[in-house]
Amino acid sequence: MTRTRPASTKVAGVSYRVRGLVQGVGFRPAVWRLATSFGLCGEVLNDGEGVLIRAWGPSDALEGFSLSLRRDAPRLARIDDIVRQPLSGGPGGNDFRIVESHAGLVRTGIVPDAATCPECLAEVLDPVNRRYRYPFTNCTHCGPRLSIVRAIPYDRATTSMAAFAMCPACLAEYQNPADRRFHAQPNACPDCGPRVWLADAQGNELPSAGDAIRTVAAAIRDGRIVAVKGIGGFHLACDATNEDAVARLRTRKRRYAKPFALMARDIEMISQYARIPDHDHVVLASAAAPVVILDARDDAGRLAPSIAPDDSNLGFMLAYSPLHHLLMSELCAPIVLTSGNRSDEPQAITNDDALSGLAGIADLWLLNDRDIVSRLDDSVVRSMSGAPRLLRRARGYAPEPIQLGGGFADAPPVMAMGAELKSTICLVREGRAIVSQHIGDLEDAATHADYRRVLSHYRELHCFSPALVAVDAHPDYLSTQWGEACARQDGCLLVRIPHHHAHVASCLAEHRVARDAPPTLAIVLDGLGLGEDGTLWGGEILLADYVSAERLASFMPVPLLGGARAMREPWRNAFAHLSRFIGWDDVCSQYPDLAITQRLSAKPVATLRAMMESGLNAPPASSAGRLFDAVAAVLGVSPETCSYEGQAAIGLEALAATENGEPGEEYAGQIVSGQIELISWTAMWRSLLADLASGVELARIASRFHSGLALTLSSTAARLAGSRGIDTVVLGGGVFQNRLLLEAVTVDLEERGLKVLSPRLLPANDGGISLGQGTIAAARALCRH
């Protein structure tokens, strides 16, 4: 588009410092086109802070250019700040130029990896295009970013594409400001870029009739399991309609119950198996291309039953790279596409690791020679309470910076170490936070090694030298211990942050609540976290801001029989809850014929009772997660063992979701007054057991439990908020990834006139803890100064 140069002839000079996600997205060529259309002279370049523009021209032209910078920014760009200053002197030329990048203090962000854009996909599928069926096609609108970058500024030399010299045709695109591949750092074609090939278990390249991807598709149709090297790591793929193949994958991967993610060719294919609301349609087709949790259709029987055992949801994603598009174009049904690892281990990212680590799982390996610098799991999104919410934040979203509310700009730099489970790290500096991709559970040695690598990589990328290191208050967390070591090594101040306070602050931060905002009420529900009194918390109502948190109410504590074993064996929580709130002898005398009574009577009851009385290996905990486990076990949902975290609670939610009518009277908790209010579940258990004994449907009982818990929480929070003149309630903790509970609590609180803040950009679970730690440490440091 050409604009007529304004009549004004007085030339002025202006510099524009643009910060945000402005590198690797075609921002410089967009600036060049705008400046040229306004008849300006000058230059644009990348540096450590973002993009620097120096422009000279008539004042009217400069004003029009300024207004267009935000409006006409590239689709993947995010402008956080534009600082405009006058320039003296002249432009030093008669044209506008794109110049080489400068290094310096890194303040710019890295753009997340982006799904294939329509223009690139059209080329890949066009038989006369030189990139026909080329699986590494990309441009500035799409393709890998974090997964390949080694340093900032984001240039080809600082990515894993440095190993591939561009051919003349690709170089011409790369150097042409009018081309959408201008400075597209991963730019390549079949003549000069990475290649794919098929290999056997020994790493030997196999014949593929010139097209390895078509050969892989045929193998999947034949029921074989293939390891596929993707954007951020390897996946294991098989036919999602082949029960034998899916069952073999479960056995080989040792993933016995957790649902598998699915990939589909297009929205129409997904719609055959799941219901897709409009807002989920948008998320599926977005540049992030996450796995989206959808309600399965009642007639989705063509999928293998073992894809999502005992779950009414399906996790679908669309093909998001050219390789995936080419693979899915050869298939008539979805595929399982799960992380390429054994359960609880990190995804393989190198060819050698995949060949050794996935031996005995995969039948074939689809390899390529582009190195993966950063491991990236697929992000997971679930729409709840009218908005998409991240359950796992990784590919497509990380490491997009989070702008904080007012008052944080002058805080010293903070490095926050996250939690032990679903770990992330967070860097806070100059009023924004950079939260890493999901790393995983640090109890696994390989994941802990990856955690240390991610931490080092982020510090190097952002030239980050912390003044403060923030850790969870629990001294046994591996993230805490590594943070202590980092603080000693760097000579930093160590700040210990209570777990549940961090959940609250994380939600406040993503909603850009100002640092000096008044305290809010918060309901925090999770499995476990160390409380400020040294006991284990998990069902809390707090009064909190960024600096401090006061416990106002809590679930009545119940012993964790066997300590950590209680988190894996729901029956232990059922026995503890029934004994604590009803009395085991009363349960046996009143309900001797219930299946749960008979199941628990076969356990070492005398030993369990002695543990409860003595407290030996049975620490008390106010855990909401263990309450869900107890109810699930009583209703026969995963009563013995869980093969993954939250399995019993997920099963209980799925059971409750099948209740079609009005569930009737809720099972509410009772308030016991004291220094803090305690919520007792005696009445809930009595009503639940009575319904169970009288033959009420299990789905109705599960639904009554959910609605009763929601009512108890919302009514208690509303009363406490009202007595303190508070108008906002924060919801946090992993239990609020339960859609039924989140929506019921939100609706009830809003009907009572309260504003509700709940996590969207970051997971409600421990994946958001690092952001909370970082903002609390920053706020406290500012208070000290």
Side-chain angles (χ1 to χ4, degrees):
M1 177 173 61
T2 302
R3 294 177 171 87
T4 302
R5 187 166 181 157
S8 173
T9 57
K10 184 178 180 181
V11 174
V14 177
S15 75
Y16 302 84
R17 161 61 61 199
V18 187
R19 296 189 179 96
L21 299 181
V22 290
Q23 291 190 13
V25 295
F27 198 86
R28 287 178 298 169
V31 169
W32 176 84
R33 286 189 289 271
L34 281 175
T36 302
S37 72
F38 280 104
L40 303 179
C41 301
E43 62 187 17
V44 58
L45 58 93
N46 281 346
D47 62 12
E49 294 191 53
V51 168
L52 178 62
I53 305 166
R54 300 185 183 100
W56 282 265
S59 56
D60 290 349
L62 287 169
E63 189 61 31
F65 173 76
S66 299
L67 294 173
S68 299
L69 265 180
R70 287 186 185 272
R71 185 184 62 212
D72 298 335
R75 67 182 71 170
L76 294 182
R78 192 192 82 186
I79 297 175
D80 294 333
D81 186 33
I82 299 178
V83 178
R84 179 175 171 174
Q85 293 182 325
L87 283 173
S88 58
N94 297 319
D95 59 355
F96 196 89
R97 305 173 304 281
I98 297 174
V99 299
E100 289 299 314
S101 300
H102 292 177
L105 177 64
V106 175
R107 291 191 178 91
T108 190
I110 300 171
V111 177
D113 294 53
T116 306
C117 69
E119 295 88 349
C120 283
L121 181 57
E123 292 173 346
V124 171
L125 301 179
D126 181 359
V128 300
N129 191 280
R130 72 187 189 93
R131 289 188 172 88
Y132 177 57
R133 297 191 65 78
Y134 185 57
F136 302 98
T137 300
N138 68 88
C139 69
T140 54
H141 300 156
C142 66
R145 300 293 194 280
L146 175 63
S147 61
I148 63 169
V149 68
R150 302 187 192 278
I152 296 175
Y154 174 72
D155 286 320
R156 193 179 183 95
T158 60
T159 74
S160 60
M161 286 297 295
F164 303 94
M166 281 182 277
C167 66
C170 286
L171 188 61
E173 296 168 334
Y174 184 85
Q175 294 176 335
N176 180 5
D179 196 289
R180 79 175 196 278
R181 291 193 170 93
F182 177 77
H183 279 244
Q185 306 307 337
N187 189 32
C189 75
D191 293 334
C192 63
R195 59 180 285 265
V196 297
W197 67 92
L198 199 59
D200 62 17
Q202 287 72 46
N204 301 313
E205 184 168 353
L206 298 174
S208 56
D211 197 321
I213 296 174
R214 280 195 170 119
T215 304
V216 164
I220 289 174
R221 287 195 299 270
D222 289 343
R224 305 180 80 182
I225 298 168
V226 183
V228 179
K229 188 176 184 181
I231 295 292
F234 276 82
H235 288 94
L236 291 162
C238 71
D239 182 354
T241 64
N242 185 327
E243 173 60 21
D244 177 67
V246 176
R248 272 188 285 113
L249 177 56
R250 282 207 178 278
T251 300
R252 294 179 183 182
K253 188 176 161 70
R254 301 175 197 162
R255 179 168 170 169
Y256 301 110
K258 192 174 183 179
F260 280 137
L262 302 169
M263 175 173 277
R265 180 180 59 245
D266 48 35
I267 290 288
E268 289 70 30
M269 180 179 281
I270 297 177
S271 66
Q272 297 175 40
Y273 304 95
R275 292 186 287 273
I276 314 174
D278 290 343
H279 50 271
D280 284 336
H281 186 294
V282 172
V283 177
L284 282 163
S286 69
V291 176
V292 179
I293 307 300
L294 302 169
D295 292 333
R297 292 174 61 98
D298 295 334
D299 56 352
R302 288 169 291 168
L303 291 176
S306 60
I307 283 175
D310 303 318
D311 198 331
S312 58
N313 298 309
L314 294 170
F316 265 106
M317 60 184 145
L318 290 173
Y320 57 81
S321 76
L323 186 151
H324 295 119
H325 280 288
L326 291 169
L327 177 61
M328 295 309 302
S329 70
E330 303 290 327
L331 299 169
C332 298
I335 59 171
V336 168
L337 199 71
T338 187
S339 55
N341 57 2
R342 297 184 190 274
S343 285
D344 300 323
E345 295 178 358
Q347 263 183 304
I349 61 172
T350 70
N351 293 347
D352 289 343
D353 285 347
L355 287 165
S356 60
L358 303 180
I361 302 178
D363 300 313
L364 295 169
W365 281 254
L366 184 63
L367 305 178
N368 69 63
D369 53 357
R370 183 174 70 193
D371 288 343
I372 297 170
V373 176
S374 288
R375 178 182 286 105
L376 290 172
D377 284 303
D378 294 311
S379 294
V380 181
V381 169
R382 189 182 192 189
S383 290
M384 299 184 285
S385 196
R389 299 168 191 273
L390 279 157
L391 307 188
R392 183 169 70 197
R393 182 177 182 268
R395 177 189 55 77
Y397 294 96
E400 183 173 346
I402 295 170
Q403 289 297 118
L404 303 178
F408 282 98
D410 296 327
V414 181
M415 182 170 74
M417 307 300 288
E420 182 155 284
L421 303 180
K422 299 176 175 60
S423 186
T424 60
I425 60 102
C426 176
L427 308 179
V428 176
R429 182 172 62 188
E430 297 181 342
R432 67 176 188 170
I434 298 171
V435 181
S436 75
Q437 67 270 30
H438 166 87
I439 301 169
D441 298 349
L442 302 187
E443 296 162 330
D444 175 76
T447 303
H448 194 279
D450 190 48
Y451 169 83
R452 300 194 301 271
R453 189 201 61 77
V454 170
L455 179 65
S456 176
H457 187 49
Y458 271 64
R459 292 186 65 175
E460 291 171 2
L461 280 177
H462 298 282
C463 299
F464 194 87
S465 181
L468 306 172
V469 176
V471 298
D472 193 279
H474 201 303
D476 295 334
Y477 278 8
L478 294 171
S479 57
T480 297
Q481 294 171 2
W482 192 249
E484 292 169 346
C486 290
R488 286 193 300 269
Q489 179 177 323
D490 293 348
C492 300
L493 179 66
L494 185 75
V495 185
R496 300 184 188 275
I497 308 296
H499 189 84
H500 298 88
H501 188 192
H503 272 306
V504 181
S506 178
C507 186
L508 293 175
E510 73 153 85
H511 285 278
R512 302 187 70 174
V513 174
R515 178 180 64 85
D516 59 357
T520 185
L521 209 74
I523 305 172
V524 185
L525 308 180
D526 64 2
L528 286 177
L530 189 67
E532 293 194 56
D533 60 357
T535 64
L536 297 174
W537 293 7
E540 316 302 326
I541 299 180
L542 308 175
L543 179 66
D545 55 17
Y546 286 111
V547 175
S548 62
E550 178 187 357
R551 193 186 198 192
L552 302 182
S554 173
F555 289 10
M556 193 170 283
V558 176
L560 293 176
L561 290 172
R565 293 184 67 179
M567 292 182 275
R568 299 187 296 271
E569 300 175 0
W571 68 265
R572 292 177 179 270
N573 303 295
F575 185 89
H577 266 261
L578 294 176
S579 298
R580 176 72 174 82
F581 292 108
I582 304 295
W584 180 244
D585 292 337
D586 287 347
V587 172
C588 291
S589 63
Q590 295 176 41
Y591 305 105
D593 297 328
L594 288 181
I596 188 63
T597 307
Q598 296 175 8
R599 180 186 296 274
L600 295 178
S601 295
K603 304 295 183 183
V605 170
T607 301
L608 296 170
R609 296 177 80 165
M611 291 169 65
M612 291 186 67
E613 291 169 5
S614 67
L616 181 63
N617 199 22
S622 57
S623 170
R626 304 295 78 80
L627 170 62
F628 271 83
D629 286 351
V631 174
V634 168
L635 299 187
V637 178
S638 303
E640 288 296 321
T641 61
C642 290
S643 64
Y644 65 92
E645 186 190 15
Q647 180 181 352
I650 290 170
L652 184 64
E653 180 191 358
L655 177 63
T658 63
E659 170 59 38
N660 296 320
E662 289 296 325
E665 186 175 352
E666 305 96 342
Y667 306 144
Q670 298 168 298
I671 302 299
V672 179
S673 298
Q675 186 174 3
I676 64 166
E677 294 187 1
L678 293 177
I679 300 174
S680 167
W681 303 110
T682 298
M684 183 276 289
W685 281 115
R686 291 194 183 282
S687 297
L688 188 153
L689 291 176
D691 279 354
L692 190 60
S694 62
V696 174
E697 292 181 357
L698 296 181
R700 176 155 295 190
I701 294 174
S703 180
R704 287 178 178 176
F705 164 71
H706 278 81
S707 57
L709 175 59
L711 176 62
T712 302
L713 292 168
S714 58
S715 61
T716 304
R719 176 172 48 79
L720 292 171
S723 67
R724 289 164 173 77
I726 294 172
D727 63 359
T728 302
V729 178
V730 167
L731 307 181
V735 171
F736 275 117
Q737 292 186 165
N738 180 310
R739 181 167 63 189
L740 297 179
L741 183 65
L742 176 72
E743 292 179 347
V745 172
T746 300
V747 167
D748 200 3
L749 287 171
E750 289 177 343
E751 288 179 348
R752 296 170 188 265
L754 291 160
K755 179 181 178 181
V756 178
L757 301 180
S758 51
R760 297 184 183 184
L761 304 180
L762 288 169
N765 62 34
D766 283 4
I769 284 287
S770 64
L771 175 61
Q773 293 171 343
T775 49
I776 291 170
R780 289 179 177 177
L782 289 167
C783 285
R784 287 194 296 270
H785 294 291

